[in-house]
Amino acid sequence: MKIFAIRDESAAVQKDLAWLLYYEMEKRVYIELPDDADEWETPLLLSSFVKKGERTVNSYWSRVWVQQRIVPTDRQNIGQVLKDNGLKEYDEFELLLLSMGRCAQDDYYLVPLKEQELPLQIQGRFEERIEDVISLGRNTLLVFFRDGMIRKCDLTVWFRDHSRFSILVKREDLFDGVQVETGGHGVAWDENLSIPDYILHWYGEAVPLVTEDFRAFAAQRIITAGEAAEILNCSRQNINDLIKRGRLHPVKMTSKSTLLLKSEVLRRNWQ
C-alpha cells in the first residue's frame, strides 16, 4: 500500500487535507478525510462527503478524483503522451504520480508518507476495518472486524433507504456474493454497490457466534492450498513456502491437505 497526503500549494500554512491510499496489486484507491475536515478547504469533489458526515471516500469516487487529475484515455495524442513518459500502457496511478497529483484546475498536490506518519485518528481507522464477511441470507451479513468485534448486520432498512441496492433484495444469490473491499474499507457486490465499514459497525448488533454462523463461515471462507495458489497466481510450492515463513497461517494442516482463511490469502494482494 502506498500512502500520500493531499495538500494545497496555495495555502499559507501547509497541512494535510486528506490522505490517499493506493493498493498496488488490485489498483484500488481510497481517500480518507480528517475527523475535523473543513468543507471549504476540502477538494471540491470530496467536500460532498464532508457535508454528509462521511470520512472515508469509497473506491469509486476516489478513483473519479484521480481521473480528474490525469490525462484522459480519449485524448487524441494519448499514445505519444505515454511514450514520452516511459509508460507502456495507460495506468491511472502512474500518470497521477508523474505530476504528484497536480493539475491546472487547482493547487492540490500529493506528498508521500509512511503509515506511521499518518495521524492517530487515521491509524485508528485501520484497526476497525473489516476482516471478513459472510452472507446469512435475508438481507443479513455477519461481519468480522479487525478489532475482534463480530456484528450481525440486518441491512433491510439500509436497502430500503438506498434504492440502488434493490437488486440485492430481489436476488439473494447476488446478495450472497458479498466480498470484503480491498483493505477492509467496507463490503461490496460491485464497484457501485458498496457499504463502508463504519456503517456496518453502526448497523450491526454484537452477538456471540452460534453453530450455524460458524458453519456458514467455514463453508464460504475456508479454502484449500490449491485454491490459495489460484488466487495468488502461484504454485503450491510457493504456498507451502509462505506457510513455512509464517506469512500464511493454516486453519488446519495434515499430510494430505491444508486449509487456509480466504481473507488472509486475499490480503497478500493488498501488501
Side-chain angles (χ1 to χ4, degrees):
M1 177 177 67
K2 294 183 180 295
I3 302 172
F4 300 85
I6 299 175
R7 297 178 183 170
D8 185 348
E9 204 162 32
S10 67
V13 178
Q14 291 295 293
K15 68 176 184 177
D16 297 351
L17 303 177
W19 299 270
L20 184 147
L21 313 179
Y22 178 65
Y23 295 88
E24 299 172 85
M25 291 295 294
E26 299 192 10
K27 296 186 180 296
R28 287 274 182 147
V29 178
Y30 292 85
I31 293 175
E32 296 287 345
L33 302 169
D35 291 341
D36 60 350
D38 186 325
E39 176 187 336
W40 302 105
E41 289 183 340
T42 304
L44 184 59
L45 177 66
L46 309 180
S47 64
S48 61
F49 287 83
V50 177
K51 292 179 183 178
K52 293 183 290 184
E54 299 180 18
R55 293 298 180 263
T56 297
V57 181
N58 63 39
S59 62
Y60 176 82
W61 288 108
S62 294
R63 184 182 179 192
V64 170
W65 188 81
V66 169
Q67 291 172 335
Q68 290 182 345
R69 315 191 69 76
I70 61 176
V71 179
T73 55
D74 58 358
R75 181 161 169 172
Q76 189 172 8
N77 64 336
I78 187 63
Q80 189 61 47
V81 171
L82 298 179
K83 182 178 179 180
D84 291 344
N85 288 285
L87 298 178
K88 295 181 180 180
E89 59 184 6
Y90 190 89
D91 187 306
E92 293 176 344
F93 187 71
E94 290 300 325
L95 288 168
L96 182 72
L97 289 188
L98 286 173
S99 63
M100 289 309 293
R102 292 179 172 85
C103 73
Q105 283 70 42
D106 54 50
D107 297 303
Y108 301 115
Y109 68 104
L110 301 179
V111 177
L113 296 179
K114 296 180 180 179
E115 185 171 333
Q116 57 268 31
E117 294 178 292
L118 286 168
L120 292 179
Q121 59 177 277
I122 304 302
Q123 293 186 45
R125 292 179 194 176
F126 291 158
E127 298 303 316
E128 298 176 356
R129 297 293 184 217
I130 294 172
E131 184 76 11
D132 220 323
V133 62
I134 61 171
S135 165
L136 300 178
R138 302 177 302 281
N139 302 334
T140 303
L141 299 176
L142 190 66
V143 185
F144 298 74
F145 293 87
R146 289 184 187 170
D147 60 4
M149 180 69 70
I150 301 171
R151 290 184 175 271
K152 186 177 287 187
C153 304
D154 184 344
L155 299 172
T156 301
V157 175
W158 175 267
F159 288 168
R160 184 191 65 202
D161 294 340
H162 298 79
S163 59
R164 70 181 185 279
F165 289 90
S166 61
I167 184 64
L168 300 178
V169 178
K170 298 174 183 176
R171 295 274 306 276
E172 190 164 303
D173 60 319
L174 294 181
F175 180 79
D176 289 345
V178 63
Q179 297 288 330
V180 178
E181 284 201 273
T182 301
H185 290 265
V187 302
W189 291 266
D190 65 30
E191 192 174 38
N192 291 314
L193 288 179
S194 64
I195 303 177
D197 51 356
Y198 63 88
I199 291 293
L200 293 168
H201 200 281
W202 184 78
Y203 263 86
E205 176 187 358
V207 294
L209 281 174
V210 298
T211 301
E212 288 306 311
D213 292 338
F214 176 76
R215 288 179 187 231
F217 179 88
Q220 296 182 43
R221 307 307 291 178
I222 293 179
I223 61 176
T224 65
E227 292 171 319
E230 290 182 10
I231 290 173
L232 297 179
N233 193 27
C234 67
S235 67
R236 285 283 298 272
Q237 184 177 357
N238 285 339
I239 296 297
N240 292 334
D241 182 63
L242 287 170
I243 292 171
K244 288 178 181 178
R245 291 191 287 125
R247 302 299 179 85
L248 288 177
H249 306 85
V251 174
K252 185 176 182 180
M253 193 172 184
T254 69
S255 59
K256 295 184 178 180
S257 65
T258 300
L259 300 178
L260 299 150
L261 282 175
K262 186 176 182 180
S263 59
E264 185 179 39
V265 174
L266 289 171
R267 283 203 304 276
R268 295 291 306 169
N269 282 333
W270 300 348
Q271 298 174 356

PDB file of all heavy atoms in Angstrom, residues 28-47:
ATOM      1  N   ARG A  28      -6.505  -0.230  -6.476  1.00  0.00           N
ATOM      2  CA  ARG A  28      -7.644   0.415  -5.831  1.00  0.00           C
ATOM      3  C   ARG A  28      -7.180   1.623  -5.031  1.00  0.00           C
ATOM      4  O   ARG A  28      -6.142   1.585  -4.379  1.00  0.00           O
ATOM      5  CB  ARG A  28      -8.337  -0.561  -4.883  1.00  0.00           C
ATOM      6  CG  ARG A  28      -9.136  -1.637  -5.581  1.00  0.00           C
ATOM      7  CD  ARG A  28     -10.539  -1.143  -5.880  1.00  0.00           C
ATOM      8  NE  ARG A  28     -11.352  -2.160  -6.498  1.00  0.00           N
ATOM      9  CZ  ARG A  28     -12.642  -2.288  -6.318  1.00  0.00           C
ATOM     10  NH1 ARG A  28     -13.275  -1.455  -5.532  1.00  0.00           N
ATOM     11  NH2 ARG A  28     -13.327  -3.215  -6.943  1.00  0.00           N
ATOM     12  N   VAL A  29      -7.976   2.678  -5.082  1.00  0.00           N
ATOM     13  CA  VAL A  29      -7.657   3.909  -4.367  1.00  0.00           C
ATOM     14  C   VAL A  29      -8.782   4.236  -3.391  1.00  0.00           C
ATOM     15  O   VAL A  29      -9.970   4.108  -3.720  1.00  0.00           O
ATOM     16  CB  VAL A  29      -7.487   5.088  -5.349  1.00  0.00           C
ATOM     17  CG1 VAL A  29      -7.205   6.384  -4.592  1.00  0.00           C
ATOM     18  CG2 VAL A  29      -6.376   4.810  -6.337  1.00  0.00           C
ATOM     19  N   TYR A  30      -8.402   4.663  -2.189  1.00  0.00           N
ATOM     20  CA  TYR A  30      -9.363   5.173  -1.204  1.00  0.00           C
ATOM     21  C   TYR A  30      -8.807   6.477  -0.650  1.00  0.00           C
ATOM     22  O   TYR A  30      -7.588   6.624  -0.507  1.00  0.00           O
ATOM     23  CB  TYR A  30      -9.566   4.184  -0.043  1.00  0.00           C
ATOM     24  CG  TYR A  30     -10.253   2.909  -0.443  1.00  0.00           C
ATOM     25  CD1 TYR A  30      -9.526   1.842  -0.958  1.00  0.00           C
ATOM     26  CD2 TYR A  30     -11.629   2.775  -0.327  1.00  0.00           C
ATOM     27  CE1 TYR A  30     -10.148   0.668  -1.340  1.00  0.00           C
ATOM     28  CE2 TYR A  30     -12.265   1.600  -0.703  1.00  0.00           C
ATOM     29  CZ  TYR A  30     -11.516   0.546  -1.218  1.00  0.00           C
ATOM     30  OH  TYR A  30     -12.137  -0.610  -1.608  1.00  0.00           O
ATOM     31  N   ILE A  31      -9.691   7.395  -0.338  1.00  0.00           N
ATOM     32  CA  ILE A  31      -9.272   8.664   0.252  1.00  0.00           C
ATOM     33  C   ILE A  31      -9.900   8.793   1.635  1.00  0.00           C
ATOM     34  O   ILE A  31     -11.102   8.591   1.797  1.00  0.00           O
ATOM     35  CB  ILE A  31      -9.680   9.854  -0.636  1.00  0.00           C
ATOM     36  CG1 ILE A  31      -8.893   9.815  -1.953  1.00  0.00           C
ATOM     37  CG2 ILE A  31      -9.440  11.182   0.093  1.00  0.00           C
ATOM     38  CD1 ILE A  31      -9.304  10.873  -2.960  1.00  0.00           C
ATOM     39  N   GLU A  32      -9.052   9.107   2.611  1.00  0.00           N
ATOM     40  CA  GLU A  32      -9.500   9.312   3.986  1.00  0.00           C
ATOM     41  C   GLU A  32      -9.514  10.815   4.288  1.00  0.00           C
ATOM     42  O   GLU A  32      -8.563  11.530   3.942  1.00  0.00           O
ATOM     43  CB  GLU A  32      -8.570   8.601   4.972  1.00  0.00           C
ATOM     44  CG  GLU A  32      -8.551   7.090   4.846  1.00  0.00           C
ATOM     45  CD  GLU A  32      -9.814   6.440   5.382  1.00  0.00           C
ATOM     46  OE1 GLU A  32     -10.579   7.115   6.107  1.00  0.00           O
ATOM     47  OE2 GLU A  32     -10.034   5.250   5.086  1.00  0.00           O
ATOM     48  N   LEU A  33     -10.582  11.269   4.922  1.00  0.00           N
ATOM     49  CA  LEU A  33     -10.714  12.666   5.320  1.00  0.00           C
ATOM     50  C   LEU A  33     -10.545  12.786   6.830  1.00  0.00           C
ATOM     51  O   LEU A  33     -10.930  11.870   7.570  1.00  0.00           O
ATOM     52  CB  LEU A  33     -12.078  13.210   4.906  1.00  0.00           C
ATOM     53  CG  LEU A  33     -12.405  13.140   3.409  1.00  0.00           C
ATOM     54  CD1 LEU A  33     -13.872  13.461   3.169  1.00  0.00           C
ATOM     55  CD2 LEU A  33     -11.513  14.079   2.620  1.00  0.00           C
ATOM     56  N   PRO A  34      -9.988  13.889   7.315  1.00  0.00           N
ATOM     57  CA  PRO A  34      -9.828  14.050   8.772  1.00  0.00           C
ATOM     58  C   PRO A  34     -11.173  14.176   9.474  1.00  0.00           C
ATOM     59  O   PRO A  34     -12.173  14.574   8.869  1.00  0.00           O
ATOM     60  CB  PRO A  34      -9.002  15.332   8.898  1.00  0.00           C
ATOM     61  CG  PRO A  34      -9.237  16.078   7.623  1.00  0.00           C
ATOM     62  CD  PRO A  34      -9.432  15.041   6.562  1.00  0.00           C
ATOM     63  N   ASP A  35     -11.187  13.842  10.764  1.00  0.00           N
ATOM     64  CA  ASP A  35     -12.426  13.928  11.541  1.00  0.00           C
ATOM     65  C   ASP A  35     -12.982  15.349  11.548  1.00  0.00           C
ATOM     66  O   ASP A  35     -14.197  15.557  11.556  1.00  0.00           O
ATOM     67  CB  ASP A  35     -12.175  13.472  12.984  1.00  0.00           C
ATOM     68  CG  ASP A  35     -11.898  11.974  13.067  1.00  0.00           C
ATOM     69  OD1 ASP A  35     -12.248  11.255  12.112  1.00  0.00           O
ATOM     70  OD2 ASP A  35     -11.336  11.538  14.088  1.00  0.00           O
ATOM     71  N   ASP A  36     -12.071  16.334  11.565  1.00  0.00           N
ATOM     72  CA  ASP A  36     -12.493  17.746  11.617  1.00  0.00           C
ATOM     73  C   ASP A  36     -12.384  18.423  10.251  1.00  0.00           C
ATOM     74  O   ASP A  36     -12.107  19.612  10.156  1.00  0.00           O
ATOM     75  CB  ASP A  36     -11.654  18.511  12.640  1.00  0.00           C
ATOM     76  CG  ASP A  36     -10.158  18.478  12.305  1.00  0.00           C
ATOM     77  OD1 ASP A  36      -9.760  17.708  11.384  1.00  0.00           O
ATOM     78  OD2 ASP A  36      -9.394  19.224  12.943  1.00  0.00           O
ATOM     79  N   ALA A  37     -12.613  17.660   9.193  1.00  0.00           N
ATOM     80  CA  ALA A  37     -12.492  18.200   7.833  1.00  0.00           C
ATOM     81  C   ALA A  37     -13.352  19.443   7.644  1.00  0.00           C
ATOM     82  O   ALA A  37     -14.511  19.491   8.061  1.00  0.00           O
ATOM     83  CB  ALA A  37     -12.887  17.136   6.812  1.00  0.00           C
ATOM     84  N   ASP A  38     -12.760  20.460   7.016  1.00  0.00           N
ATOM     85  CA  ASP A  38     -13.458  21.705   6.706  1.00  0.00           C
ATOM     86  C   ASP A  38     -13.991  21.624   5.283  1.00  0.00           C
ATOM     87  O   ASP A  38     -13.229  21.421   4.332  1.00  0.00           O
ATOM     88  CB  ASP A  38     -12.490  22.891   6.840  1.00  0.00           C
ATOM     89  CG  ASP A  38     -13.175  24.241   6.667  1.00  0.00           C
ATOM     90  OD1 ASP A  38     -14.112  24.343   5.850  1.00  0.00           O
ATOM     91  OD2 ASP A  38     -12.759  25.200   7.339  1.00  0.00           O
ATOM     92  N   GLU A  39     -15.291  21.771   5.142  1.00  0.00           N
ATOM     93  CA  GLU A  39     -15.920  21.677   3.817  1.00  0.00           C
ATOM     94  C   GLU A  39     -15.297  22.621   2.805  1.00  0.00           C
ATOM     95  O   GLU A  39     -15.170  22.294   1.625  1.00  0.00           O
ATOM     96  CB  GLU A  39     -17.415  21.958   3.963  1.00  0.00           C
ATOM     97  CG  GLU A  39     -18.182  21.982   2.657  1.00  0.00           C
ATOM     98  CD  GLU A  39     -19.615  22.427   2.859  1.00  0.00           C
ATOM     99  OE1 GLU A  39     -20.141  22.287   3.992  1.00  0.00           O
ATOM    100  OE2 GLU A  39     -20.209  22.930   1.887  1.00  0.00           O
ATOM    101  N   TRP A  40     -14.861  23.806   3.254  1.00  0.00           N
ATOM    102  CA  TRP A  40     -14.353  24.821   2.329  1.00  0.00           C
ATOM    103  C   TRP A  40     -12.888  24.607   1.977  1.00  0.00           C
ATOM    104  O   TRP A  40     -12.410  25.111   0.968  1.00  0.00           O
ATOM    105  CB  TRP A  40     -14.564  26.216   2.921  1.00  0.00           C
ATOM    106  CG  TRP A  40     -16.000  26.468   3.219  1.00  0.00           C
ATOM    107  CD1 TRP A  40     -16.607  26.478   4.431  1.00  0.00           C
ATOM    108  CD2 TRP A  40     -17.035  26.705   2.260  1.00  0.00           C
ATOM    109  NE1 TRP A  40     -17.954  26.708   4.318  1.00  0.00           N
ATOM    110  CE2 TRP A  40     -18.255  26.853   2.975  1.00  0.00           C
ATOM    111  CE3 TRP A  40     -17.062  26.790   0.864  1.00  0.00           C
ATOM    112  CZ2 TRP A  40     -19.465  27.091   2.337  1.00  0.00           C
ATOM    113  CZ3 TRP A  40     -18.288  27.031   0.243  1.00  0.00           C
ATOM    114  CH2 TRP A  40     -19.458  27.180   0.970  1.00  0.00           C
ATOM    115  N   GLU A  41     -12.174  23.846   2.796  1.00  0.00           N
ATOM    116  CA  GLU A  41     -10.777  23.531   2.495  1.00  0.00           C
ATOM    117  C   GLU A  41     -10.644  22.245   1.680  1.00  0.00           C
ATOM    118  O   GLU A  41      -9.681  22.081   0.940  1.00  0.00           O
ATOM    119  CB  GLU A  41      -9.982  23.359   3.797  1.00  0.00           C
ATOM    120  CG  GLU A  41      -9.737  24.635   4.569  1.00  0.00           C
ATOM    121  CD  GLU A  41      -8.890  24.400   5.796  1.00  0.00           C
ATOM    122  OE1 GLU A  41      -8.811  23.238   6.254  1.00  0.00           O
ATOM    123  OE2 GLU A  41      -8.309  25.369   6.303  1.00  0.00           O
ATOM    124  N   THR A  42     -11.606  21.359   1.829  1.00  0.00           N
ATOM    125  CA  THR A  42     -11.531  20.050   1.187  1.00  0.00           C
ATOM    126  C   THR A  42     -11.740  20.178  -0.320  1.00  0.00           C
ATOM    127  O   THR A  42     -12.592  20.942  -0.772  1.00  0.00           O
ATOM    128  CB  THR A  42     -12.616  19.123   1.779  1.00  0.00           C
ATOM    129  OG1 THR A  42     -12.444  19.061   3.205  1.00  0.00           O
ATOM    130  CG2 THR A  42     -12.514  17.732   1.209  1.00  0.00           C
ATOM    131  N   PRO A  43     -10.957  19.446  -1.127  1.00  0.00           N
ATOM    132  CA  PRO A  43     -11.160  19.463  -2.585  1.00  0.00           C
ATOM    133  C   PRO A  43     -12.621  19.255  -2.951  1.00  0.00           C
ATOM    134  O   PRO A  43     -13.328  18.464  -2.291  1.00  0.00           O
ATOM    135  CB  PRO A  43     -10.280  18.301  -3.062  1.00  0.00           C
ATOM    136  CG  PRO A  43      -9.164  18.257  -2.060  1.00  0.00           C
ATOM    137  CD  PRO A  43      -9.809  18.596  -0.747  1.00  0.00           C
ATOM    138  N   LEU A  44     -13.074  19.962  -3.978  1.00  0.00           N
ATOM    139  CA  LEU A  44     -14.495  20.074  -4.313  1.00  0.00           C
ATOM    140  C   LEU A  44     -15.224  18.736  -4.360  1.00  0.00           C
ATOM    141  O   LEU A  44     -16.244  18.560  -3.705  1.00  0.00           O
ATOM    142  CB  LEU A  44     -14.653  20.797  -5.649  1.00  0.00           C
ATOM    143  CG  LEU A  44     -16.105  21.070  -6.080  1.00  0.00           C
ATOM    144  CD1 LEU A  44     -16.813  21.907  -5.037  1.00  0.00           C
ATOM    145  CD2 LEU A  44     -16.128  21.752  -7.440  1.00  0.00           C
ATOM    146  N   LEU A  45     -14.739  17.790  -5.133  1.00  0.00           N
ATOM    147  CA  LEU A  45     -15.428  16.505  -5.260  1.00  0.00           C
ATOM    148  C   LEU A  45     -15.556  15.811  -3.908  1.00  0.00           C
ATOM    149  O   LEU A  45     -16.577  15.194  -3.594  1.00  0.00           O
ATOM    150  CB  LEU A  45     -14.671  15.597  -6.236  1.00  0.00           C
ATOM    151  CG  LEU A  45     -15.246  14.191  -6.421  1.00  0.00           C
ATOM    152  CD1 LEU A  45     -16.611  14.253  -7.083  1.00  0.00           C
ATOM    153  CD2 LEU A  45     -14.296  13.334  -7.230  1.00  0.00           C
ATOM    154  N   LEU A  46     -14.526  15.941  -3.077  1.00  0.00           N
ATOM    155  CA  LEU A  46     -14.502  15.262  -1.786  1.00  0.00           C
ATOM    156  C   LEU A  46     -15.337  15.984  -0.726  1.00  0.00           C
ATOM    157  O   LEU A  46     -15.747  15.382   0.262  1.00  0.00           O
ATOM    158  CB  LEU A  46     -13.063  15.121  -1.292  1.00  0.00           C
ATOM    159  CG  LEU A  46     -12.075  14.509  -2.286  1.00  0.00           C
ATOM    160  CD1 LEU A  46     -10.689  14.435  -1.663  1.00  0.00           C
ATOM    161  CD2 LEU A  46     -12.535  13.129  -2.734  1.00  0.00           C
ATOM    162  N   SER A  47     -15.596  17.268  -0.938  1.00  0.00           N
ATOM    163  CA  SER A  47     -16.334  18.046   0.062  1.00  0.00           C
ATOM    164  C   SER A  47     -17.761  17.551   0.235  1.00  0.00           C
ATOM    165  O   SER A  47     -18.375  17.744   1.289  1.00  0.00           O
ATOM    166  CB  SER A  47     -16.341  19.528  -0.314  1.00  0.00           C
ATOM    167  OG  SER A  47     -17.043  19.745  -1.526  1.00  0.00           O
TER     168      SER A  47
END
